[in-house]
Amino acid sequence: MAKVLVAYGTKMGGTAGIAEQVAEALRVRGHDITLTPAGRTPRRASFDAAVVGSALYGGRWRSAAVRLLRRLARSEPRPRVWLFHSGPLGDDQADTPMPLPKKVRGPAARLGARDVVTFGGRLPGEASGFIAKAMLRQGRGGDWRQLDQAAAWGNAIADELAG
């Protein structure tokens, strides 16, 4: 089976939860999984595949996830790559696919990213920061991550790796 990196960039932990679901689906299917925050990815490790995700803030990925993609794009051999991001909040937005941020498009193209998926975001009631608190005051707090869909996507990736 494949040696797979599942890495994520998160601020409040919501994207980590999505990555955990994907990693568990791959692990159950027999793959060797390294699950880690993007900024802590082992530098000398070699992977057959990578699933990299980030929370979207203002249409941007977390910087550690962008740096990891750039590093993977320079690596030899390059792993097969799948990408996801989370962020849309609210029942009317959670299913809306979001485009890749500008800084992610180049590395994603060099890596030949096989899929890009958008998952709804999460804004917990205890979130800190000026913008997060303003959004909470507007009633935009909640969890729209669709973790069952994250697990299903992980299974689809496992199918592709096995094929």
Side-chain angles (χ1 to χ4, degrees):
M1 287 297 172
K3 186 174 179 183
V4 183
L5 169 67
V6 179
Y8 56 89
T10 190
K11 182 176 181 180
M12 294 183 228
T15 307
I18 294 168
E20 289 165 2
Q21 292 294 311
V22 172
E24 184 58 22
L26 290 163
R27 185 177 291 113
V28 166
R29 298 283 296 276
H31 296 288
D32 179 12
I33 304 301
T34 298
L35 173 66
T36 183
R40 295 186 186 155
T41 302
R43 286 208 166 271
R44 292 193 171 91
S46 177
F47 298 97
D48 302 310
V51 179
V52 182
S54 177
L56 283 168
Y57 289 97
R60 294 184 173 107
W61 271 31
R62 305 289 297 164
S63 60
V66 175
R67 284 192 303 271
L68 173 60
L69 276 185
R70 288 177 179 155
R71 193 172 93 215
L72 290 172
R74 291 187 308 265
S75 68
E76 287 298 332
R78 289 183 182 152
R80 293 181 279 176
V81 173
W82 289 261
L83 305 176
F84 74 92
H85 39 227
S86 65
L89 301 174
D91 295 333
D92 58 337
Q93 296 291 319
D95 292 328
T96 304
M98 304 297 286
L100 279 176
K102 187 176 181 179
K103 288 185 177 183
V104 176
R105 290 180 202 148
R110 284 190 297 280
L111 287 161
R114 297 176 183 295
D115 197 6
V116 179
V117 176
T118 302
F119 293 101
R122 179 181 78 122
L123 182 61
E126 68 276 1
S128 61
F130 178 77
I131 294 173
K133 288 184 178 195
M135 292 173 73
L136 288 170
R137 283 192 297 275
Q138 296 169 357
R140 295 180 63 191
D143 190 344
W144 291 272
R145 291 178 294 167
Q146 309 138 324
L147 296 176
D148 57 333
Q149 291 179 19
W153 187 58
N155 278 313
I157 292 170
D159 288 343
E160 198 169 333
L161 288 170

